[in-house]
Amino acid sequence: MLPCVCWLQPLLVLLSSVLRAQGENCPASCLCPDPHTVDCSGRGLIRLPDEIPLDVRRLLLSDNCIPRIPSDFLVLYSDLVYLDLRNNSLSHIEPGTLSTSSRLVFLDLGSNNLTEIPSGTFGQSRSLIKLRLGNNPYLSRVNEDAFLGLTSLRELELERNALSGLQVGALSQLPSLRVVRLEGNPWVCNCNFANLFGWLEENSQKLPNGVEGMECSLPMDGRRVSLSQLSQDSFRECQITLTLTDLLIIIFSGISVSVVAIMTSFFLASIVHCFQRTSKTTKGDEEESEE
């Protein structure tokens, strides 16, 4: 047995040194279950932890009170593939903050205080596959180019926010999209919603519960109805399309009206001028007759 123990002793020493090194590199109050994972979930953090290992791949920061992410935070973490910032106090993400995360695959920004997703928020994170933005109660605006460049994105979650409308371009420019969650928003079924409704009907297979799982408010009385009760005819008054012929007629009509107006003005001016000359001639003749 003794030779066996002697053979195992170097391995035990090596393992102990590795575990000690991992513990030394792990941020205070966080856990590092493996060399590439840092778990700081539910630690009451009010800012990002210091001394995060540069080779971290999974960074778990959910259930804290972190209010912002420095714009240069991800510059050094080129190996990061999984970032969980769920249930913090983030109110905005500065454009370009995530543009350096070339390997990021999973990003969770749900259950924060985000108010809008502006253009350029995610740079062009072409490796991003799953993006969670749900349960942000103040998120009322998503820019049409907010997701521009996310060519690998398959799952997008925007459920239970404060969205009353969404431009179709924000979704149609995601070629790999397979699942999108939009339920639980205060959608308003007005003309601005008409294009989105058409997209949802054509892509209902991407909605986990289909259009039946979504509701919108009618603009007249605010009554909420399921999208399954609506059709393209519901937005008939919004579907005013002009053909090339219609546009040419409008342009020609405008030009014609302008020309007629100019000719009428010229004609009236000529009549007034002639009337004035005639009046002067008549008055001159009357004076000569009196003499």
Side-chain angles (χ1 to χ4, degrees), residues 74-101:
L74 295 177
V75 171
L76 298 176
Y77 305 107
S78 58
D79 291 333
L80 191 65
V81 297
Y82 189 104
L83 178 58
D84 186 357
L85 282 160
R86 171 175 37 92
N87 196 25
N88 275 279
S89 301
L90 300 173
S91 59
H92 72 284
I93 304 294
E94 297 181 18
T97 301
L98 303 168
S99 61
T100 56
S101 54

PDB file of all heavy atoms in Angstrom, residues 74-101:
ATOM      1  N   LEU A  74     -16.099  44.742 -20.920  1.00  0.00           N
ATOM      2  CA  LEU A  74     -15.882  43.467 -21.604  1.00  0.00           C
ATOM      3  C   LEU A  74     -14.650  43.464 -22.504  1.00  0.00           C
ATOM      4  O   LEU A  74     -14.384  42.461 -23.166  1.00  0.00           O
ATOM      5  CB  LEU A  74     -17.120  43.111 -22.435  1.00  0.00           C
ATOM      6  CG  LEU A  74     -18.393  42.839 -21.627  1.00  0.00           C
ATOM      7  CD1 LEU A  74     -19.560  42.570 -22.564  1.00  0.00           C
ATOM      8  CD2 LEU A  74     -18.196  41.655 -20.695  1.00  0.00           C
ATOM      9  N   VAL A  75     -13.907  44.547 -22.532  1.00  0.00           N
ATOM     10  CA  VAL A  75     -12.748  44.622 -23.423  1.00  0.00           C
ATOM     11  C   VAL A  75     -11.735  43.525 -23.108  1.00  0.00           C
ATOM     12  O   VAL A  75     -11.157  42.907 -24.014  1.00  0.00           O
ATOM     13  CB  VAL A  75     -12.084  46.010 -23.307  1.00  0.00           C
ATOM     14  CG1 VAL A  75     -10.763  46.031 -24.062  1.00  0.00           C
ATOM     15  CG2 VAL A  75     -13.016  47.088 -23.826  1.00  0.00           C
ATOM     16  N   LEU A  76     -11.529  43.264 -21.826  1.00  0.00           N
ATOM     17  CA  LEU A  76     -10.503  42.297 -21.422  1.00  0.00           C
ATOM     18  C   LEU A  76     -10.991  40.855 -21.394  1.00  0.00           C
ATOM     19  O   LEU A  76     -10.187  39.929 -21.319  1.00  0.00           O
ATOM     20  CB  LEU A  76      -9.960  42.668 -20.036  1.00  0.00           C
ATOM     21  CG  LEU A  76      -9.261  44.020 -19.924  1.00  0.00           C
ATOM     22  CD1 LEU A  76      -8.877  44.284 -18.472  1.00  0.00           C
ATOM     23  CD2 LEU A  76      -8.042  44.077 -20.817  1.00  0.00           C
ATOM     24  N   TYR A  77     -12.316  40.659 -21.455  1.00  0.00           N
ATOM     25  CA  TYR A  77     -12.858  39.301 -21.299  1.00  0.00           C
ATOM     26  C   TYR A  77     -13.274  38.729 -22.652  1.00  0.00           C
ATOM     27  O   TYR A  77     -14.450  38.529 -22.938  1.00  0.00           O
ATOM     28  CB  TYR A  77     -14.021  39.325 -20.312  1.00  0.00           C
ATOM     29  CG  TYR A  77     -13.628  39.927 -18.967  1.00  0.00           C
ATOM     30  CD1 TYR A  77     -14.063  41.184 -18.602  1.00  0.00           C
ATOM     31  CD2 TYR A  77     -12.788  39.229 -18.105  1.00  0.00           C
ATOM     32  CE1 TYR A  77     -13.681  41.741 -17.395  1.00  0.00           C
ATOM     33  CE2 TYR A  77     -12.396  39.774 -16.891  1.00  0.00           C
ATOM     34  CZ  TYR A  77     -12.848  41.046 -16.541  1.00  0.00           C
ATOM     35  OH  TYR A  77     -12.454  41.585 -15.344  1.00  0.00           O
ATOM     36  N   SER A  78     -12.297  38.469 -23.461  1.00  0.00           N
ATOM     37  CA  SER A  78     -12.556  38.020 -24.843  1.00  0.00           C
ATOM     38  C   SER A  78     -13.056  36.583 -24.906  1.00  0.00           C
ATOM     39  O   SER A  78     -13.559  36.154 -25.949  1.00  0.00           O
ATOM     40  CB  SER A  78     -11.288  38.164 -25.682  1.00  0.00           C
ATOM     41  OG  SER A  78     -10.224  37.417 -25.113  1.00  0.00           O
ATOM     42  N   ASP A  79     -12.920  35.819 -23.809  1.00  0.00           N
ATOM     43  CA  ASP A  79     -13.372  34.426 -23.806  1.00  0.00           C
ATOM     44  C   ASP A  79     -14.787  34.269 -23.255  1.00  0.00           C
ATOM     45  O   ASP A  79     -15.310  33.146 -23.231  1.00  0.00           O
ATOM     46  CB  ASP A  79     -12.418  33.558 -22.966  1.00  0.00           C
ATOM     47  CG  ASP A  79     -11.048  33.405 -23.615  1.00  0.00           C
ATOM     48  OD1 ASP A  79     -10.976  33.497 -24.850  1.00  0.00           O
ATOM     49  OD2 ASP A  79     -10.062  33.188 -22.882  1.00  0.00           O
ATOM     50  N   LEU A  80     -15.401  35.346 -22.834  1.00  0.00           N
ATOM     51  CA  LEU A  80     -16.712  35.268 -22.194  1.00  0.00           C
ATOM     52  C   LEU A  80     -17.772  34.821 -23.194  1.00  0.00           C
ATOM     53  O   LEU A  80     -17.941  35.409 -24.258  1.00  0.00           O
ATOM     54  CB  LEU A  80     -17.088  36.636 -21.625  1.00  0.00           C
ATOM     55  CG  LEU A  80     -18.309  36.675 -20.700  1.00  0.00           C
ATOM     56  CD1 LEU A  80     -18.034  35.886 -19.429  1.00  0.00           C
ATOM     57  CD2 LEU A  80     -18.668  38.121 -20.356  1.00  0.00           C
ATOM     58  N   VAL A  81     -18.513  33.772 -22.842  1.00  0.00           N
ATOM     59  CA  VAL A  81     -19.572  33.251 -23.706  1.00  0.00           C
ATOM     60  C   VAL A  81     -20.941  33.316 -23.033  1.00  0.00           C
ATOM     61  O   VAL A  81     -21.973  33.251 -23.712  1.00  0.00           O
ATOM     62  CB  VAL A  81     -19.292  31.796 -24.145  1.00  0.00           C
ATOM     63  CG1 VAL A  81     -18.025  31.722 -24.964  1.00  0.00           C
ATOM     64  CG2 VAL A  81     -19.213  30.866 -22.941  1.00  0.00           C
ATOM     65  N   TYR A  82     -20.977  33.450 -21.707  1.00  0.00           N
ATOM     66  CA  TYR A  82     -22.243  33.394 -20.963  1.00  0.00           C
ATOM     67  C   TYR A  82     -22.230  34.499 -19.912  1.00  0.00           C
ATOM     68  O   TYR A  82     -21.385  34.514 -19.019  1.00  0.00           O
ATOM     69  CB  TYR A  82     -22.370  32.029 -20.292  1.00  0.00           C
ATOM     70  CG  TYR A  82     -23.709  31.722 -19.657  1.00  0.00           C
ATOM     71  CD1 TYR A  82     -24.609  30.853 -20.273  1.00  0.00           C
ATOM     72  CD2 TYR A  82     -24.073  32.272 -18.429  1.00  0.00           C
ATOM     73  CE1 TYR A  82     -25.830  30.543 -19.680  1.00  0.00           C
ATOM     74  CE2 TYR A  82     -25.291  31.973 -17.836  1.00  0.00           C
ATOM     75  CZ  TYR A  82     -26.166  31.105 -18.465  1.00  0.00           C
ATOM     76  OH  TYR A  82     -27.377  30.804 -17.881  1.00  0.00           O
ATOM     77  N   LEU A  83     -23.173  35.455 -20.026  1.00  0.00           N
ATOM     78  CA  LEU A  83     -23.247  36.576 -19.086  1.00  0.00           C
ATOM     79  C   LEU A  83     -24.671  36.716 -18.580  1.00  0.00           C
ATOM     80  O   LEU A  83     -25.598  36.972 -19.349  1.00  0.00           O
ATOM     81  CB  LEU A  83     -22.791  37.874 -19.768  1.00  0.00           C
ATOM     82  CG  LEU A  83     -22.863  39.154 -18.919  1.00  0.00           C
ATOM     83  CD1 LEU A  83     -22.015  39.009 -17.656  1.00  0.00           C
ATOM     84  CD2 LEU A  83     -22.379  40.358 -19.741  1.00  0.00           C
ATOM     85  N   ASP A  84     -24.840  36.556 -17.277  1.00  0.00           N
ATOM     86  CA  ASP A  84     -26.156  36.623 -16.648  1.00  0.00           C
ATOM     87  C   ASP A  84     -26.207  37.838 -15.724  1.00  0.00           C
ATOM     88  O   ASP A  84     -25.568  37.859 -14.669  1.00  0.00           O
ATOM     89  CB  ASP A  84     -26.427  35.337 -15.864  1.00  0.00           C
ATOM     90  CG  ASP A  84     -27.845  35.288 -15.294  1.00  0.00           C
ATOM     91  OD1 ASP A  84     -28.583  36.278 -15.456  1.00  0.00           O
ATOM     92  OD2 ASP A  84     -28.211  34.260 -14.692  1.00  0.00           O
ATOM     93  N   LEU A  85     -26.972  38.864 -16.130  1.00  0.00           N
ATOM     94  CA  LEU A  85     -27.159  40.078 -15.335  1.00  0.00           C
ATOM     95  C   LEU A  85     -28.618  40.252 -14.947  1.00  0.00           C
ATOM     96  O   LEU A  85     -29.083  41.356 -14.686  1.00  0.00           O
ATOM     97  CB  LEU A  85     -26.676  41.298 -16.125  1.00  0.00           C
ATOM     98  CG  LEU A  85     -25.156  41.496 -16.166  1.00  0.00           C
ATOM     99  CD1 LEU A  85     -24.760  42.396 -17.330  1.00  0.00           C
ATOM    100  CD2 LEU A  85     -24.649  42.067 -14.853  1.00  0.00           C
ATOM    101  N   ARG A  86     -29.319  39.155 -14.885  1.00  0.00           N
ATOM    102  CA  ARG A  86     -30.746  39.174 -14.566  1.00  0.00           C
ATOM    103  C   ARG A  86     -31.000  39.711 -13.159  1.00  0.00           C
ATOM    104  O   ARG A  86     -30.247  39.462 -12.227  1.00  0.00           O
ATOM    105  CB  ARG A  86     -31.280  37.749 -14.719  1.00  0.00           C
ATOM    106  CG  ARG A  86     -32.676  37.478 -14.255  1.00  0.00           C
ATOM    107  CD  ARG A  86     -33.063  36.049 -14.617  1.00  0.00           C
ATOM    108  NE  ARG A  86     -31.945  35.126 -14.466  1.00  0.00           N
ATOM    109  CZ  ARG A  86     -31.699  34.443 -13.335  1.00  0.00           C
ATOM    110  NH1 ARG A  86     -32.473  34.599 -12.286  1.00  0.00           N
ATOM    111  NH2 ARG A  86     -30.681  33.609 -13.293  1.00  0.00           N
ATOM    112  N   ASN A  87     -32.114  40.460 -13.028  1.00  0.00           N
ATOM    113  CA  ASN A  87     -32.586  40.949 -11.730  1.00  0.00           C
ATOM    114  C   ASN A  87     -31.548  41.811 -11.021  1.00  0.00           C
ATOM    115  O   ASN A  87     -31.133  41.543  -9.887  1.00  0.00           O
ATOM    116  CB  ASN A  87     -33.003  39.772 -10.837  1.00  0.00           C
ATOM    117  CG  ASN A  87     -33.851  40.228  -9.652  1.00  0.00           C
ATOM    118  OD1 ASN A  87     -34.508  41.264  -9.717  1.00  0.00           O
ATOM    119  ND2 ASN A  87     -33.838  39.463  -8.577  1.00  0.00           N
ATOM    120  N   ASN A  88     -31.155  42.900 -11.735  1.00  0.00           N
ATOM    121  CA  ASN A  88     -30.300  43.921 -11.143  1.00  0.00           C
ATOM    122  C   ASN A  88     -31.014  45.264 -11.241  1.00  0.00           C
ATOM    123  O   ASN A  88     -32.243  45.299 -11.319  1.00  0.00           O
ATOM    124  CB  ASN A  88     -28.937  43.937 -11.828  1.00  0.00           C
ATOM    125  CG  ASN A  88     -27.974  42.914 -11.243  1.00  0.00           C
ATOM    126  OD1 ASN A  88     -27.360  43.139 -10.209  1.00  0.00           O
ATOM    127  ND2 ASN A  88     -27.855  41.770 -11.910  1.00  0.00           N
ATOM    128  N   SER A  89     -30.270  46.360 -11.249  1.00  0.00           N
ATOM    129  CA  SER A  89     -30.863  47.707 -11.297  1.00  0.00           C
ATOM    130  C   SER A  89     -30.400  48.481 -12.524  1.00  0.00           C
ATOM    131  O   SER A  89     -30.320  49.705 -12.500  1.00  0.00           O
ATOM    132  CB  SER A  89     -30.514  48.481 -10.017  1.00  0.00           C
ATOM    133  OG  SER A  89     -30.976  47.812  -8.877  1.00  0.00           O
ATOM    134  N   LEU A  90     -30.098  47.769 -13.605  1.00  0.00           N
ATOM    135  CA  LEU A  90     -29.611  48.415 -14.821  1.00  0.00           C
ATOM    136  C   LEU A  90     -30.721  49.248 -15.452  1.00  0.00           C
ATOM    137  O   LEU A  90     -31.811  48.756 -15.712  1.00  0.00           O
ATOM    138  CB  LEU A  90     -29.131  47.371 -15.821  1.00  0.00           C
ATOM    139  CG  LEU A  90     -27.988  46.453 -15.360  1.00  0.00           C
ATOM    140  CD1 LEU A  90     -27.738  45.369 -16.392  1.00  0.00           C
ATOM    141  CD2 LEU A  90     -26.730  47.267 -15.116  1.00  0.00           C
ATOM    142  N   SER A  91     -30.440  50.528 -15.701  1.00  0.00           N
ATOM    143  CA  SER A  91     -31.430  51.405 -16.338  1.00  0.00           C
ATOM    144  C   SER A  91     -31.113  51.644 -17.807  1.00  0.00           C
ATOM    145  O   SER A  91     -31.998  52.026 -18.573  1.00  0.00           O
ATOM    146  CB  SER A  91     -31.507  52.745 -15.601  1.00  0.00           C
ATOM    147  OG  SER A  91     -30.236  53.383 -15.594  1.00  0.00           O
ATOM    148  N   HIS A  92     -29.873  51.448 -18.202  1.00  0.00           N
ATOM    149  CA  HIS A  92     -29.513  51.587 -19.612  1.00  0.00           C
ATOM    150  C   HIS A  92     -28.189  50.878 -19.878  1.00  0.00           C
ATOM    151  O   HIS A  92     -27.416  50.624 -18.955  1.00  0.00           O
ATOM    152  CB  HIS A  92     -29.412  53.062 -20.024  1.00  0.00           C
ATOM    153  CG  HIS A  92     -28.197  53.760 -19.473  1.00  0.00           C
ATOM    154  ND1 HIS A  92     -28.105  54.171 -18.162  1.00  0.00           N
ATOM    155  CD2 HIS A  92     -27.013  54.092 -20.065  1.00  0.00           C
ATOM    156  CE1 HIS A  92     -26.924  54.738 -17.968  1.00  0.00           C
ATOM    157  NE2 HIS A  92     -26.237  54.702 -19.089  1.00  0.00           N
ATOM    158  N   ILE A  93     -27.992  50.548 -21.140  1.00  0.00           N
ATOM    159  CA  ILE A  93     -26.735  49.950 -21.594  1.00  0.00           C
ATOM    160  C   ILE A  93     -26.130  50.904 -22.613  1.00  0.00           C
ATOM    161  O   ILE A  93     -26.750  51.208 -23.629  1.00  0.00           O
ATOM    162  CB  ILE A  93     -26.948  48.570 -22.248  1.00  0.00           C
ATOM    163  CG1 ILE A  93     -27.681  47.627 -21.285  1.00  0.00           C
ATOM    164  CG2 ILE A  93     -25.622  47.967 -22.669  1.00  0.00           C
ATOM    165  CD1 ILE A  93     -26.902  47.255 -20.054  1.00  0.00           C
ATOM    166  N   GLU A  94     -24.927  51.386 -22.326  1.00  0.00           N
ATOM    167  CA  GLU A  94     -24.304  52.333 -23.244  1.00  0.00           C
ATOM    168  C   GLU A  94     -23.968  51.652 -24.569  1.00  0.00           C
ATOM    169  O   GLU A  94     -23.460  50.529 -24.581  1.00  0.00           O
ATOM    170  CB  GLU A  94     -23.031  52.910 -22.620  1.00  0.00           C
ATOM    171  CG  GLU A  94     -23.267  53.715 -21.352  1.00  0.00           C
ATOM    172  CD  GLU A  94     -21.982  54.276 -20.787  1.00  0.00           C
ATOM    173  OE1 GLU A  94     -20.988  54.326 -21.546  1.00  0.00           O
ATOM    174  OE2 GLU A  94     -21.974  54.644 -19.606  1.00  0.00           O
ATOM    175  N   PRO A  95     -24.289  52.312 -25.698  1.00  0.00           N
ATOM    176  CA  PRO A  95     -23.950  51.729 -27.006  1.00  0.00           C
ATOM    177  C   PRO A  95     -22.463  51.395 -27.100  1.00  0.00           C
ATOM    178  O   PRO A  95     -21.614  52.187 -26.702  1.00  0.00           O
ATOM    179  CB  PRO A  95     -24.337  52.844 -27.989  1.00  0.00           C
ATOM    180  CG  PRO A  95     -25.405  53.611 -27.275  1.00  0.00           C
ATOM    181  CD  PRO A  95     -25.018  53.583 -25.826  1.00  0.00           C
ATOM    182  N   GLY A  96     -22.172  50.222 -27.601  1.00  0.00           N
ATOM    183  CA  GLY A  96     -20.787  49.798 -27.746  1.00  0.00           C
ATOM    184  C   GLY A  96     -20.265  48.971 -26.592  1.00  0.00           C
ATOM    185  O   GLY A  96     -19.190  48.370 -26.687  1.00  0.00           O
ATOM    186  N   THR A  97     -21.023  48.928 -25.468  1.00  0.00           N
ATOM    187  CA  THR A  97     -20.560  48.172 -24.306  1.00  0.00           C
ATOM    188  C   THR A  97     -20.348  46.706 -24.640  1.00  0.00           C
ATOM    189  O   THR A  97     -19.399  46.072 -24.173  1.00  0.00           O
ATOM    190  CB  THR A  97     -21.574  48.287 -23.152  1.00  0.00           C
ATOM    191  OG1 THR A  97     -21.731  49.661 -22.801  1.00  0.00           O
ATOM    192  CG2 THR A  97     -21.102  47.514 -21.936  1.00  0.00           C
ATOM    193  N   LEU A  98     -21.243  46.161 -25.468  1.00  0.00           N
ATOM    194  CA  LEU A  98     -21.187  44.736 -25.776  1.00  0.00           C
ATOM    195  C   LEU A  98     -20.559  44.445 -27.136  1.00  0.00           C
ATOM    196  O   LEU A  98     -20.538  43.300 -27.572  1.00  0.00           O
ATOM    197  CB  LEU A  98     -22.603  44.141 -25.728  1.00  0.00           C
ATOM    198  CG  LEU A  98     -23.322  44.332 -24.385  1.00  0.00           C
ATOM    199  CD1 LEU A  98     -24.794  43.994 -24.515  1.00  0.00           C
ATOM    200  CD2 LEU A  98     -22.678  43.473 -23.310  1.00  0.00           C
ATOM    201  N   SER A  99     -20.074  45.477 -27.799  1.00  0.00           N
ATOM    202  CA  SER A  99     -19.543  45.290 -29.152  1.00  0.00           C
ATOM    203  C   SER A  99     -18.229  44.524 -29.168  1.00  0.00           C
ATOM    204  O   SER A  99     -17.835  43.978 -30.196  1.00  0.00           O
ATOM    205  CB  SER A  99     -19.350  46.645 -29.842  1.00  0.00           C
ATOM    206  OG  SER A  99     -18.421  47.440 -29.118  1.00  0.00           O
ATOM    207  N   THR A 100     -17.530  44.503 -28.020  1.00  0.00           N
ATOM    208  CA  THR A 100     -16.240  43.807 -27.978  1.00  0.00           C
ATOM    209  C   THR A 100     -16.383  42.349 -27.559  1.00  0.00           C
ATOM    210  O   THR A 100     -15.399  41.626 -27.516  1.00  0.00           O
ATOM    211  CB  THR A 100     -15.297  44.519 -26.989  1.00  0.00           C
ATOM    212  OG1 THR A 100     -15.927  44.585 -25.699  1.00  0.00           O
ATOM    213  CG2 THR A 100     -14.984  45.924 -27.466  1.00  0.00           C
ATOM    214  N   SER A 101     -17.602  41.923 -27.228  1.00  0.00           N
ATOM    215  CA  SER A 101     -17.806  40.543 -26.777  1.00  0.00           C
ATOM    216  C   SER A 101     -18.023  39.635 -27.978  1.00  0.00           C
ATOM    217  O   SER A 101     -19.134  39.215 -28.270  1.00  0.00           O
ATOM    218  CB  SER A 101     -18.995  40.471 -25.823  1.00  0.00           C
ATOM    219  OG  SER A 101     -20.142  41.041 -26.420  1.00  0.00           O
TER     220      SER A 101
END
